[in-house]
Amino acid sequence: MQKIMLTLFVTSVLSGCSVFGVYKVDIPQGTPLTKAQAAQVQVGMSFQQVRFLLGSPTVSDPLNPQRWDYIYNYIPGTYAKKAKIPAAHGQHLKIYFDADGNVERIEGLETIPESQPGLPASKEAILTAPPL
């Protein structure tokens, strides 16, 4: 009887660790932007116009309110890895404003991809998606 109980216990422990694995969630951090969105920002735009186009910045330094940072990192979870959705690292768009609150310069456009992993390429893809 003890051998049967020991066998069942060892089997359940080993199968729980190796067969099923641990579920991992997707970890999106920051503001996901596409190159089309970032390209809409032009020199001379105001704070409000940039916020309307891109949303609130990921980092807004209270000691330097003339610089906004849009950073995005994505670590795929269990289902995203099965769907072969790649990770996203190093996306950093910096927008500098002058004393009047207008865009002075934009840095980091080359780090922003055409489409974000795990997100549809356009709003049309969301609107035309089949129901579940």
Side-chain angles (χ1 to χ4, degrees):
M1 183 69 169
Q2 288 179 348
K3 288 185 179 182
I4 293 173
M5 294 298 285
L6 181 63
T7 305
L8 288 174
F9 176 73
V10 169
T11 305
S12 65
V13 168
L14 290 177
S15 66
C17 293
S18 61
V19 175
F20 300 113
V22 177
Y23 174 76
K24 295 181 182 176
V25 297
D26 294 343
I27 304 174
Q29 296 176 318
T31 307
L33 297 175
T34 61
K35 195 170 285 282
Q37 289 174 310
Q40 291 179 351
V41 178
Q42 302 294 322
V43 173
M45 286 185 162
S46 67
F47 285 121
Q48 292 85 8
Q49 291 171 319
V50 174
R51 191 181 303 270
F52 178 78
L53 289 173
L54 303 181
S56 296
T58 308
V59 178
S60 182
D61 187 359
L63 299 177
N64 186 8
Q66 305 306 96
R67 174 181 166 170
W68 285 2
D69 293 285
Y70 291 89
I71 302 168
Y72 184 66
N73 290 311
Y74 173 76
I75 300 170
T78 302
Y79 293 123
K81 284 182 182 178
K82 287 180 182 177
K84 297 191 179 9
I85 296 174
H89 299 288
Q91 298 177 21
H92 191 168
L93 180 69
K94 298 171 233 163
I95 300 176
Y96 296 91
F97 296 91
D98 60 15
D100 295 328
N102 297 321
V103 175
E104 186 175 66
R105 72 180 192 271
I106 304 163
E107 294 179 2
L109 281 172
E110 66 280 352
T111 65
I112 307 298
E114 295 293 330
S115 65
Q116 286 293 348
L119 297 175
S122 68
K123 291 180 184 175
E124 295 301 318
I126 295 171
L127 297 175
T128 59
L132 297 174

